[in-house]
Amino acid sequence: MSSVTTTQAASLSPQAPQSVWRHWLRKIEWRIFLLPLIGLLLWQGWKLLAESGYYADFIVPHPSTVWARLTERWADGSIVTHVATTLREALSGLFIASLIATALGYIIARVKIFDYLLTPYLIFLQAIPVIAVSPLIIIWFGSGLASKVVIAAMITWFPMMIATIVGIRNVSPNLREMMRANAATRWQIFRHLEIPSAMPELFGGLKIAVTLSVVGAAVGEFVSARQGLGYLVMYGRGISDTPTVVLAVLMLTFVSLVLYSLVSVLEASLLNWRKAGKP
Amino acid sequence: MTAILQADHVHHTFTAANGQTIIALEDVSLALSPGTFTALIGPSGCGKSTLLRILAGLVKPTSGQVQFGGLPLHRPQRQISMIFQKDNLMPWRTVYENIELPLQLAGVSKNEREQRVARLLYVTGLLGFENQFPAELSGGMAQRVAIARGLVNEPDVLLMDEPFGALDALTREQMGQELLRIWSTTQATVVMVTHSISEAVFLADRVLVMSPRPGHFIREVTVPFTRPRSIELLTDSTFTLLEAQIRAAIH
């Protein structure tokens, strides 16, 4: 059958040269142009709003003012310091939370008694609003790196744990039996079956957690800090410089987006098998 | 000849979800001579699959004993391979990596793994498919991979639980012939659970017929045909006679 279609295609193209154009037009990914277009529209909308005269620069700062703040802070290097601080806090928190949450999630998924004993307390723990207890965390852990790491961990562990539980529970019982029939050890089942099988769910959890980790770090910085993008928000507010506030918020968004994209790229390269067999 | 795998007076009961005790197997004894092909046939739910799992060491019988190579069998052994009704392939592993799995688990060196997988790829007609993922394969191809995986560690015993049950009738016939050809390149002792009488007679040296629950053997039929067997056998008069005997025993 495939030979029939190829001969048809080969005989059609020289007879119809305009189909070459159509072929190229179809091949271009129009989405690539659409994506920056929407961004440009938002930018222009913001500019129009700022230039309309209805709002003072203090309420809606002009994009160019925000841009000026960025170049100033880029020149003196302070923006890099703030980004690096928030990034370090967020990623350290996420790392620690991932270790604890995957370990907890695994034993809850595998051992019934742990599920029964731990789950109610863990849900109780998650029900505590992190933002409300963040002043307490600052009191306990100081206003340096540690408190922000703790807050970032507190906000990210839950999605990671749920992802692990779902991932491990979804491991096919048939594949478990196949591994047992092959005299696999517990470690081999963990290494060759459970981890790869739970990967899609783990990446789902990581995608949620990675953006939340930035939120966690910023929340900690809101309460008490001397550096970081959350601190920059509060600093800008303190000196009534709205452009700095907007800059810090945009940078927080940017950091989250970059981290999320990195996780997505890693996911796509590690889980390339999921594309198999799909048109 | 001494039996390689042997079950003595195996009884097995289990508790159903509603709390009822179900007798799955009642006094089943079985001895498998090395290199033979045995088919287990019987109505649905007669405990065929349970018996196979007991022979694999996956399930511990309520009473009775299973011996493998003269020693009591307590847990799955690498020399006993099992092929399931579903292909049970790992979707994240390629064909090559799926076949390689049992060798990896047994700690076989990478060099030797490569050689053995290559041989199995050749024998099972999977050459050229080694880098495909299971999702890209047809049902028959996937089951071929499962068979290759079951044979790659050169097991003494190969247990098959309706290996072609999920395939369409045409593929099934073809796979049966393939299996005989592949099996002839090994020395494995085979036990195969099947629902198909003609498949059982075509493939096996002897066919054991099981009763409805509680399962036990009600009839043993020795299949006299020499090997290699060809598809023409299906219309042979002795073949149809054996089929009729087994059908009569089941109903």
mmCIF file of all heavy atoms in Angstrom, chain A residues 4-33:
data_model
loop_
_atom_site.group_PDB
_atom_site.id
_atom_site.type_symbol
_atom_site.label_atom_id
_atom_site.label_comp_id
_atom_site.label_asym_id
_atom_site.label_seq_id
_atom_site.Cartn_x
_atom_site.Cartn_y
_atom_site.Cartn_z
ATOM 1 N N VAL A 4 2.038 2.363 -3.407
ATOM 2 C CA VAL A 4 1.027 3.038 -4.214
ATOM 3 C C VAL A 4 1.037 4.530 -3.913
ATOM 4 O O VAL A 4 1.090 5.355 -4.809
ATOM 5 C CB VAL A 4 -0.374 2.444 -3.934
ATOM 6 C CG1 VAL A 4 -1.441 3.245 -4.669
ATOM 7 C CG2 VAL A 4 -0.414 0.988 -4.368
ATOM 8 N N THR A 5 1.024 4.879 -2.635
ATOM 9 C CA THR A 5 0.968 6.305 -2.275
ATOM 10 C C THR A 5 2.223 7.047 -2.698
ATOM 11 O O THR A 5 2.136 8.181 -3.148
ATOM 12 C CB THR A 5 0.745 6.486 -0.765
ATOM 13 O OG1 THR A 5 1.611 5.585 -0.103
ATOM 14 C CG2 THR A 5 -0.678 6.229 -0.384
ATOM 15 N N THR A 6 3.390 6.396 -2.593
ATOM 16 C CA THR A 6 4.614 7.108 -2.963
ATOM 17 C C THR A 6 4.656 7.363 -4.462
ATOM 18 O O THR A 6 5.036 8.451 -4.884
ATOM 19 C CB THR A 6 5.885 6.348 -2.555
ATOM 20 O OG1 THR A 6 5.714 4.993 -2.871
ATOM 21 C CG2 THR A 6 6.191 6.503 -1.076
ATOM 22 N N THR A 7 4.237 6.403 -5.278
ATOM 23 C CA THR A 7 4.256 6.624 -6.722
ATOM 24 C C THR A 7 3.280 7.732 -7.099
ATOM 25 O O THR A 7 3.575 8.551 -7.954
ATOM 26 C CB THR A 7 3.908 5.344 -7.497
ATOM 27 O OG1 THR A 7 2.732 4.785 -6.940
ATOM 28 C CG2 THR A 7 5.039 4.344 -7.500
ATOM 29 N N GLN A 8 2.131 7.781 -6.428
ATOM 30 C CA GLN A 8 1.167 8.850 -6.700
ATOM 31 C C GLN A 8 1.770 10.213 -6.402
ATOM 32 O O GLN A 8 1.690 11.122 -7.214
ATOM 33 C CB GLN A 8 -0.079 8.665 -5.827
ATOM 34 C CG GLN A 8 -1.128 7.802 -6.509
ATOM 35 C CD GLN A 8 -2.334 7.622 -5.632
ATOM 36 O OE1 GLN A 8 -2.322 7.998 -4.463
ATOM 37 N NE2 GLN A 8 -3.364 7.033 -6.199
ATOM 38 N N ALA A 9 2.401 10.322 -5.249
ATOM 39 C CA ALA A 9 2.979 11.602 -4.850
ATOM 40 C C ALA A 9 4.067 12.022 -5.827
ATOM 41 O O ALA A 9 4.163 13.178 -6.212
ATOM 42 C CB ALA A 9 3.542 11.504 -3.435
ATOM 43 N N ALA A 10 4.866 11.057 -6.252
ATOM 44 C CA ALA A 10 5.972 11.366 -7.161
ATOM 45 C C ALA A 10 5.456 11.843 -8.514
ATOM 46 O O ALA A 10 6.022 12.732 -9.125
ATOM 47 C CB ALA A 10 6.863 10.142 -7.331
ATOM 48 N N SER A 11 4.370 11.242 -8.995
ATOM 49 C CA SER A 11 3.870 11.604 -10.304
ATOM 50 C C SER A 11 3.093 12.918 -10.262
ATOM 51 O O SER A 11 2.989 13.609 -11.252
ATOM 52 C CB SER A 11 2.979 10.489 -10.865
ATOM 53 O OG SER A 11 1.871 10.320 -10.017
ATOM 54 N N LEU A 12 2.547 13.280 -9.091
ATOM 55 C CA LEU A 12 1.738 14.484 -8.996
ATOM 56 C C LEU A 12 2.583 15.758 -8.971
ATOM 57 O O LEU A 12 2.253 16.724 -9.626
ATOM 58 C CB LEU A 12 0.868 14.450 -7.729
ATOM 59 C CG LEU A 12 -0.539 13.873 -7.902
ATOM 60 C CD1 LEU A 12 -1.256 13.837 -6.570
ATOM 61 C CD2 LEU A 12 -1.335 14.690 -8.918
ATOM 62 N N SER A 13 3.698 15.725 -8.225
ATOM 63 C CA SER A 13 4.395 16.982 -7.963
ATOM 64 C C SER A 13 4.970 17.674 -9.208
ATOM 65 O O SER A 13 4.852 18.896 -9.300
ATOM 66 C CB SER A 13 5.469 16.794 -6.891
ATOM 67 O OG SER A 13 6.225 15.647 -7.174
ATOM 68 N N PRO A 14 5.575 16.953 -10.189
ATOM 69 C CA PRO A 14 6.090 17.698 -11.345
ATOM 70 C C PRO A 14 4.969 18.313 -12.182
ATOM 71 O O PRO A 14 5.161 19.365 -12.782
ATOM 72 C CB PRO A 14 6.875 16.650 -12.133
ATOM 73 C CG PRO A 14 6.426 15.339 -11.633
ATOM 74 C CD PRO A 14 5.857 15.533 -10.285
ATOM 75 N N GLN A 15 3.775 17.684 -12.196
ATOM 76 C CA GLN A 15 2.668 18.201 -13.006
ATOM 77 C C GLN A 15 2.053 19.449 -12.389
ATOM 78 O O GLN A 15 1.473 20.269 -13.091
ATOM 79 C CB GLN A 15 1.579 17.134 -13.154
ATOM 80 C CG GLN A 15 1.997 16.012 -14.103
ATOM 81 C CD GLN A 15 1.081 14.829 -14.035
ATOM 82 O OE1 GLN A 15 0.187 14.778 -13.193
ATOM 83 N NE2 GLN A 15 1.302 13.866 -14.908
ATOM 84 N N ALA A 16 2.151 19.587 -11.068
ATOM 85 C CA ALA A 16 1.505 20.715 -10.407
ATOM 86 C C ALA A 16 2.523 21.486 -9.576
ATOM 87 O O ALA A 16 2.699 21.228 -8.408
ATOM 88 C CB ALA A 16 0.371 20.215 -9.501
ATOM 89 N N PRO A 17 3.215 22.477 -10.208
ATOM 90 C CA PRO A 17 4.269 23.205 -9.491
ATOM 91 C C PRO A 17 3.732 24.041 -8.325
ATOM 92 O O PRO A 17 4.433 24.285 -7.370
ATOM 93 C CB PRO A 17 4.911 24.083 -10.564
ATOM 94 C CG PRO A 17 3.927 24.126 -11.680
ATOM 95 C CD PRO A 17 3.103 22.898 -11.611
ATOM 96 N N GLN A 18 2.451 24.518 -8.418
ATOM 97 C CA GLN A 18 1.928 25.350 -7.327
ATOM 98 C C GLN A 18 1.795 24.562 -6.028
ATOM 99 O O GLN A 18 1.753 25.132 -4.951
ATOM 100 C CB GLN A 18 0.563 25.967 -7.715
ATOM 101 C CG GLN A 18 -0.622 25.013 -7.660
ATOM 102 C CD GLN A 18 -0.830 24.286 -8.980
ATOM 103 O OE1 GLN A 18 0.097 24.175 -9.788
ATOM 104 N NE2 GLN A 18 -2.024 23.797 -9.224
ATOM 105 N N SER A 19 1.756 23.204 -6.173
ATOM 106 C CA SER A 19 1.629 22.394 -4.959
ATOM 107 C C SER A 19 2.898 22.464 -4.109
ATOM 108 O O SER A 19 2.862 22.201 -2.925
ATOM 109 C CB SER A 19 1.327 20.946 -5.313
ATOM 110 O OG SER A 19 2.483 20.353 -5.854
ATOM 111 N N VAL A 20 4.027 22.856 -4.731
ATOM 112 C CA VAL A 20 5.261 23.033 -3.967
ATOM 113 C C VAL A 20 5.084 24.182 -2.983
ATOM 114 O O VAL A 20 5.418 24.096 -1.810
ATOM 115 C CB VAL A 20 6.460 23.306 -4.907
ATOM 116 C CG1 VAL A 20 7.720 23.572 -4.102
ATOM 117 C CG2 VAL A 20 6.637 22.156 -5.876
ATOM 118 N N TRP A 21 4.476 25.285 -3.469
ATOM 119 C CA TRP A 21 4.185 26.433 -2.607
ATOM 120 C C TRP A 21 3.298 26.024 -1.449
ATOM 121 O O TRP A 21 3.565 26.343 -0.305
ATOM 122 C CB TRP A 21 3.487 27.538 -3.413
ATOM 123 C CG TRP A 21 4.475 28.442 -4.073
ATOM 124 C CD1 TRP A 21 4.785 28.481 -5.397
ATOM 125 C CD2 TRP A 21 5.293 29.399 -3.425
ATOM 126 N NE1 TRP A 21 5.754 29.412 -5.622
ATOM 127 C CE2 TRP A 21 6.091 29.995 -4.417
ATOM 128 C CE3 TRP A 21 5.442 29.814 -2.090
ATOM 129 C CZ2 TRP A 21 7.015 30.981 -4.140
ATOM 130 C CZ3 TRP A 21 6.360 30.802 -1.807
ATOM 131 C CH2 TRP A 21 7.140 31.375 -2.828
ATOM 132 N N ARG A 22 2.230 25.315 -1.850
ATOM 133 C CA ARG A 22 1.260 24.913 -0.834
ATOM 134 C C ARG A 22 1.930 24.025 0.217
ATOM 135 O O ARG A 22 1.662 24.142 1.399
ATOM 136 C CB ARG A 22 0.107 24.161 -1.502
ATOM 137 C CG ARG A 22 -1.210 24.370 -0.776
ATOM 138 C CD ARG A 22 -2.367 23.778 -1.548
ATOM 139 N NE ARG A 22 -2.673 24.516 -2.765
ATOM 140 C CZ ARG A 22 -3.376 23.994 -3.767
ATOM 141 N NH1 ARG A 22 -3.792 22.744 -3.707
ATOM 142 N NH2 ARG A 22 -3.633 24.704 -4.843
ATOM 143 N N HIS A 23 2.828 23.188 -0.287
ATOM 144 C CA HIS A 23 3.549 22.297 0.612
ATOM 145 C C HIS A 23 4.339 23.094 1.642
ATOM 146 O O HIS A 23 4.304 22.811 2.837
ATOM 147 C CB HIS A 23 4.483 21.407 -0.208
ATOM 148 C CG HIS A 23 5.424 20.590 0.611
ATOM 149 N ND1 HIS A 23 5.026 19.451 1.282
ATOM 150 C CD2 HIS A 23 6.728 20.756 0.903
ATOM 151 C CE1 HIS A 23 6.062 18.955 1.939
ATOM 152 N NE2 HIS A 23 7.102 19.734 1.728
ATOM 153 N N TRP A 24 5.041 24.146 1.171
ATOM 154 C CA TRP A 24 5.854 24.948 2.086
ATOM 155 C C TRP A 24 5.008 25.754 3.054
ATOM 156 O O TRP A 24 5.330 25.886 4.228
ATOM 157 C CB TRP A 24 6.797 25.870 1.295
ATOM 158 C CG TRP A 24 8.016 25.119 0.903
ATOM 159 C CD1 TRP A 24 8.328 24.651 -0.331
ATOM 160 C CD2 TRP A 24 9.064 24.691 1.774
ATOM 161 N NE1 TRP A 24 9.502 23.957 -0.308
ATOM 162 C CE2 TRP A 24 9.980 23.968 0.986
ATOM 163 C CE3 TRP A 24 9.307 24.830 3.138
ATOM 164 C CZ2 TRP A 24 11.121 23.391 1.508
ATOM 165 C CZ3 TRP A 24 10.448 24.270 3.669
ATOM 166 C CH2 TRP A 24 11.345 23.547 2.857
ATOM 167 N N LEU A 25 3.879 26.301 2.507
ATOM 168 C CA LEU A 25 2.982 27.063 3.379
ATOM 169 C C LEU A 25 2.451 26.198 4.510
ATOM 170 O O LEU A 25 2.309 26.634 5.648
ATOM 171 C CB LEU A 25 1.794 27.616 2.564
ATOM 172 C CG LEU A 25 2.133 28.816 1.692
ATOM 173 C CD1 LEU A 25 0.914 29.208 0.859
ATOM 174 C CD2 LEU A 25 2.568 29.993 2.547
ATOM 175 N N ARG A 26 2.172 24.948 4.167
ATOM 176 C CA ARG A 26 1.630 24.040 5.170
ATOM 177 C C ARG A 26 2.710 23.638 6.177
ATOM 178 O O ARG A 26 2.420 23.372 7.318
ATOM 179 C CB ARG A 26 1.070 22.791 4.476
ATOM 180 C CG ARG A 26 -0.298 22.416 5.033
ATOM 181 C CD ARG A 26 -0.869 21.234 4.294
ATOM 182 N NE ARG A 26 -1.427 21.604 3.001
ATOM 183 C CZ ARG A 26 -1.327 20.827 1.912
ATOM 184 N NH1 ARG A 26 -0.668 19.689 1.970
ATOM 185 N NH2 ARG A 26 -1.863 21.191 0.783
ATOM 186 N N LYS A 27 3.939 23.627 5.697
ATOM 187 C CA LYS A 27 5.027 23.152 6.549
ATOM 188 C C LYS A 27 5.417 24.178 7.618
ATOM 189 O O LYS A 27 5.923 23.833 8.674
ATOM 190 C CB LYS A 27 6.254 22.811 5.688
ATOM 191 C CG LYS A 27 6.914 21.515 6.160
ATOM 192 C CD LYS A 27 8.071 21.133 5.303
ATOM 193 C CE LYS A 27 8.890 20.068 6.000
ATOM 194 N NZ LYS A 27 10.047 19.712 5.216
ATOM 195 N N ILE A 28 5.180 25.455 7.335
ATOM 196 C CA ILE A 28 5.564 26.514 8.285
ATOM 197 C C ILE A 28 4.695 26.405 9.538
ATOM 198 O O ILE A 28 3.477 26.246 9.459
ATOM 199 C CB ILE A 28 5.405 27.917 7.644
ATOM 200 C CG1 ILE A 28 6.409 28.083 6.489
ATOM 201 C CG2 ILE A 28 5.603 29.012 8.690
ATOM 202 C CD1 ILE A 28 6.164 29.302 5.648
ATOM 203 N N GLU A 29 5.332 26.465 10.679
ATOM 204 C CA GLU A 29 4.601 26.427 11.951
ATOM 205 C C GLU A 29 4.097 27.832 12.265
ATOM 206 O O GLU A 29 4.831 28.666 12.792
ATOM 207 C CB GLU A 29 5.522 25.915 13.073
ATOM 208 C CG GLU A 29 5.795 24.432 13.009
ATOM 209 C CD GLU A 29 4.799 23.626 13.832
ATOM 210 O OE1 GLU A 29 3.756 24.182 14.234
ATOM 211 O OE2 GLU A 29 5.085 22.446 14.071
ATOM 212 N N TRP A 30 2.833 28.115 11.928
ATOM 213 C CA TRP A 30 2.289 29.463 12.116
ATOM 214 C C TRP A 30 2.230 29.850 13.581
ATOM 215 O O TRP A 30 2.246 31.017 13.927
ATOM 216 C CB TRP A 30 0.911 29.564 11.465
ATOM 217 C CG TRP A 30 1.029 29.485 9.984
ATOM 218 C CD1 TRP A 30 0.765 28.415 9.197
ATOM 219 C CD2 TRP A 30 1.499 30.511 9.100
ATOM 220 N NE1 TRP A 30 1.034 28.682 7.884
ATOM 221 C CE2 TRP A 30 1.491 29.981 7.800
ATOM 222 C CE3 TRP A 30 1.942 31.822 9.287
ATOM 223 C CZ2 TRP A 30 1.886 30.713 6.699
ATOM 224 C CZ3 TRP A 30 2.326 32.556 8.184
ATOM 225 C CH2 TRP A 30 2.301 32.001 6.908
ATOM 226 N N ARG A 31 2.176 28.825 14.446
ATOM 227 C CA ARG A 31 2.097 29.104 15.885
ATOM 228 C C ARG A 31 3.310 29.912 16.351
ATOM 229 O O ARG A 31 3.216 30.721 17.253
ATOM 230 C CB ARG A 31 2.061 27.781 16.660
ATOM 231 C CG ARG A 31 0.805 27.007 16.447
ATOM 232 C CD ARG A 31 0.861 25.718 17.221
ATOM 233 N NE ARG A 31 1.982 24.902 16.760
ATOM 234 C CZ ARG A 31 2.307 23.746 17.320
ATOM 235 N NH1 ARG A 31 1.639 23.305 18.353
ATOM 236 N NH2 ARG A 31 3.316 23.038 16.855
ATOM 237 N N ILE A 32 4.461 29.652 15.710
ATOM 238 C CA ILE A 32 5.695 30.322 16.124
ATOM 239 C C ILE A 32 5.547 31.844 15.990
ATOM 240 O O ILE A 32 6.057 32.605 16.785
ATOM 241 C CB ILE A 32 6.894 29.797 15.292
ATOM 242 C CG1 ILE A 32 7.123 28.335 15.621
ATOM 243 C CG2 ILE A 32 8.150 30.621 15.545
ATOM 244 C CD1 ILE A 32 8.151 27.659 14.749
ATOM 245 N N PHE A 33 4.799 32.293 14.963
ATOM 246 C CA PHE A 33 4.588 33.729 14.783
ATOM 247 C C PHE A 33 3.504 34.240 15.716
ATOM 248 O O PHE A 33 3.537 35.374 16.155
ATOM 249 C CB PHE A 33 4.206 34.029 13.335
ATOM 250 C CG PHE A 33 5.295 33.681 12.366
ATOM 251 C CD1 PHE A 33 5.217 32.531 11.596
ATOM 252 C CD2 PHE A 33 6.418 34.495 12.261
ATOM 253 C CE1 PHE A 33 6.239 32.211 10.717
ATOM 254 C CE2 PHE A 33 7.440 34.173 11.376
ATOM 255 C CZ PHE A 33 7.358 33.021 10.605
#
